[in-house]
Amino acid sequence: MDPSPLDLPAGFRFGVSTSAYQIEGAVGEDGRGASIWDTFSRTPGRIADGSSGDVACDHYHRHLDDIGLLSGLGVGAYRFSVAWPRVQPAGSGPVNPAGLAFYDRLVDLLLDRGIDPVVTLFHWDLPQALQDRGGWHARDTAARFAEYADLTAARLGDRVALWITLNEPVVHLTYGHALGVHAPGEARLFDALPVAHHQLLGHGLAVAALRARSSAPVAITNNYSPVRLAGATDPDRAAGQAFDAVQNRLFTDPVLGRGYPAALPVDLTALRYGDQPLVRDGDLATIAAPIDVLGVNYYNPTGVRAPAEADAPLPFDLVPLDGYPRTAFDWPVAPDGLHELLTGLRERHGADLPPIEITESGCAWDDVLDADGRCHDPERIDYLEGHLRAVRAAIDDGVDVRGYFVWSLLDNWEWAEGFGKRFGLVHVDFDTQVRTPKSSYAWYRDLIARQGSTRSAGPPA
Ligand code: IFM
């Protein structure tokens, strides 16, 4: 590890992130409707350990304790998601007052403690009732998302510090609709692409709805993974470009006004939706509504090469990367990938690139409590320090990065992995719900105390 002091610019924001379905539990309480993750997790064979988010971290009941943990860390901002089925149980129609009241109170509790609420509107928990009407395949879901953004902003918009419309739409597209390993469990490969367009359209419509209700800055959060070519042939390079277009450009280029990337394996503008084009006149302009901040999630680079089989269903093969330490998720630890993607975004988008917030960065390790009841996670400290140094290097190279949110505050319910992957700064015993701050929590707290953390999310007025 670099022995020089880690220093981020004055005014840099330190935060932590969570998402509703991964921590809240209370899925049947106070009028919450069903989400696609309730359905998916209860389907035998879908979740590695057979668990669900029914209880998760029981945050719905223990949010005061969890806010205490945030206060103890000294973070300037907390990124959480609103569960759409909690505030609008059927995804359209009546609002659930108890659901909105929960988030209203959470926002006030955060502000009372000097912590800025950063709110993600969609972190994959679509109301099941909307899925029953086609989910994101249906163009109407984009309009329903804007309506939900409007009603949420009408209640919280005077106090939220930063809005994030969608979290990692590429993961929701690929894992949920192309490969079928996340909810709603569809394996349509490239026939899933309408889901991409309708998520983007929902984003654009939601930007307009949020602007009408709130003066807070607006962002979208994407998950980026730089390509590491595992071969040097022309087909390998073509495979790398195809993967890069899907993973890194599909949800960024149109938002930043460049339309759909030409390197996509399928031309979305040539697709039909019923008797109309999938991409209608005006859609790309709606999607390109100016945003104030680009949310960047980064975990690892991806090894890519040409498909081994001539009739392979995808135009790229993904291969393990050699030569890196690996997390408990078997993901390579490569902080240089974060520097590469940040400088790459700057090169590609130039003056069109808004200020960046790293809205997720973190790692899973097999963290256990020792005989004294403590949890030591030196690997996580190394990981976070390395990635913060990569952010600092990108800032020095001219990229406007304003903040860094650790994924995650708590060990939580990690989607198809169930409780098997621990990402938290705080260990959670899922039998007792006892929270134990890990050594990385103390490290992050001390870093924030040394550096200070600004509260105001987004670009200065
Ligand atoms: O837990 C997830 C989160 O919901 C989205 N980004 C990646 C994290 C780790 O897999």
Side-chain angles (χ1 to χ4, degrees), residues 68-397:
L69 290 165
L70 292 167
S71 288
L73 264 179
V75 286
Y78 171 50
R79 173 180 176 236
F80 62 94
S81 76
V82 169
W84 187 349
R86 204 179 280 291
V87 305
Q88 194 183 29
S92 63
V95 167
N96 174 30
L100 265 181
F102 172 71
Y103 297 108
D104 190 75
R105 178 168 145 77
L106 185 61
V107 162
D108 280 346
L109 289 167
L110 291 168
L111 290 172
D112 285 350
R113 286 155 181 79
I115 300 169
D116 272 346
V118 172
V119 174
T120 307
L121 286 169
F122 183 68
H123 200 121
W124 308 344
D125 44 357
L126 191 77
Q128 181 62 44
L130 283 187
Q131 187 62 37
D132 296 342
R133 288 156 48 189
W136 287 106
H137 283 278
R139 188 177 168 95
D140 183 59
T141 296
R144 300 285 64 75
F145 181 62
E147 181 185 76
Y148 153 65
D150 170 71
L151 66 89
T152 307
R155 181 69 174 262
L156 308 181
D158 56 336
R159 287 156 293 149
V160 164
L162 173 66
W163 294 105
I164 297 171
T165 55
L166 307 175
N167 177 70
E168 299 182 357
V170 73
V171 176
H172 194 51
L173 168 74
T174 54
Y175 283 35
H177 299 81
L179 303 174
V181 295
H182 275 189
E186 297 175 350
R188 300 183 188 224
L189 298 176
F190 285 108
D191 289 343
L193 278 171
V195 169
H197 184 64
H198 294 149
Q199 284 188 93
L200 280 164
L201 186 61
H203 156 80
L205 294 170
V207 171
L210 293 169
R211 298 259 187 246
R213 292 281 190 187
S214 171
S215 58
V218 179
I220 184 171
T221 277
N222 288 314
N223 175 304
Y224 298 92
S225 184
V227 172
R228 299 277 192 268
L229 280 186
T233 65
D234 285 347
D236 289 323
R237 277 187 281 280
Q241 281 174 1
F243 176 79
D244 190 43
V246 173
Q247 175 71 38
N248 297 318
R249 298 185 177 180
L250 172 56
F251 290 96
T252 305
D253 283 12
V255 168
L256 299 183
R258 298 175 71 118
Y260 285 114
L264 279 177
V266 173
D267 177 5
L268 272 84
T269 62
L271 296 180
R272 306 288 297 173
Y273 176 76
D275 58 1
Q276 301 215 45
L278 174 68
V279 182
R280 296 190 195 164
D281 287 350
D283 282 3
L284 288 173
T286 301
I287 291 167
I291 54 171
D292 306 295
V293 172
L294 181 66
V296 166
N297 291 359
Y298 170 74
Y299 288 89
N300 54 266
T302 301
V304 183
R305 69 173 176 217
E309 310 290 333
D311 57 352
L314 294 174
F316 41 74
D317 276 355
L318 305 185
V319 292
L321 287 172
D322 295 331
Y324 294 93
R326 311 189 82 81
T327 70
F329 227 139
D330 210 25
W331 293 351
V333 178
D336 58 329
L338 179 53
H339 177 264
E340 177 186 333
L341 90 81
L342 291 170
T343 52
L345 282 167
R346 170 81 194 153
E347 275 162 32
R348 182 164 176 78
H349 297 286
D352 293 332
L353 184 68
I356 287 173
E357 299 270 353
I358 310 297
T359 39
E360 287 182 26
S361 172
C363 47
W365 302 102
D366 294 325
D367 302 317
V368 290
L369 299 182
D370 67 15
D372 298 327
R374 299 206 181 93
C375 188
H376 296 286
D377 57 343
E379 303 92 345
R380 181 168 290 101
I381 295 173
D382 283 354
Y383 185 101
L384 296 176
E385 176 159 357
H387 286 73
L388 278 161
R389 285 186 189 279
V391 169
R392 172 79 230 201
I395 293 171
D396 291 344
D397 289 339

Side-chain angles (χ1 to χ4, degrees), residues 404-453:
Y404 181 94
F405 291 70
V406 174
W407 184 269
S408 184
L409 173 66
L410 303 169
D411 291 342
N412 58 40
W413 192 79
E414 175 58 28
W415 308 115
E417 298 293 326
F419 291 111
K421 297 289 178 280
R422 294 180 175 271
F423 278 89
L425 295 173
V426 176
H427 180 278
V428 177
D429 179 323
F430 294 109
D431 293 325
T432 62
Q433 294 295 344
V434 169
R435 275 87 160 126
T436 306
K438 304 178 188 176
S439 43
S440 58
Y441 176 97
W443 176 86
Y444 198 45
R445 176 197 65 206
D446 294 349
L447 173 73
I448 296 169
R450 272 199 312 279
Q451 302 251 320
S453 175

